[in-house]
Amino acid sequence: MKVTVDEDRCCGAGQCVMLAPDVFDQREDDGIVVLLEAEPDAGQHPAVREAADVCPAGAITVHEDS
């Protein structure tokens, strides 16, 4: 799995950080998403998928391994 984020689309809701804090963080000044781990461990995949699903701005994209 590879994860990408679109900072321009992010609205700073922070749900991704609550679901997968080892993968996502937020900038202090404006709350925009910061990607900490572009290729998370397998144990984090379910939380990352959920974070992408619930992102209100659709700023998180999950690329599954083929």
Side-chain angles (χ1 to χ4, degrees):
M1 166 187 285
K2 291 185 183 179
V3 182
T4 57
V5 296
D6 184 343
E7 294 180 2
D8 293 333
R9 292 184 70 172
C10 179
C11 65
Q15 294 177 354
C16 57
V17 178
M18 290 188 289
L19 289 166
D22 292 333
V23 179
F24 304 103
D25 199 356
Q26 289 177 284
R27 296 191 304 222
E28 289 289 326
D29 57 334
D30 58 7
I32 299 300
V33 66
V34 175
L35 183 61
L36 301 175
E37 183 60 55
E39 296 185 28
D41 294 335
Q44 296 176 12
H45 290 189
V48 172
R49 286 187 194 100
E50 184 176 357
D53 288 343
V54 302
C55 178
I60 301 168
T61 304
V62 174
H63 309 274
E64 298 290 347
D65 296 332
S66 49

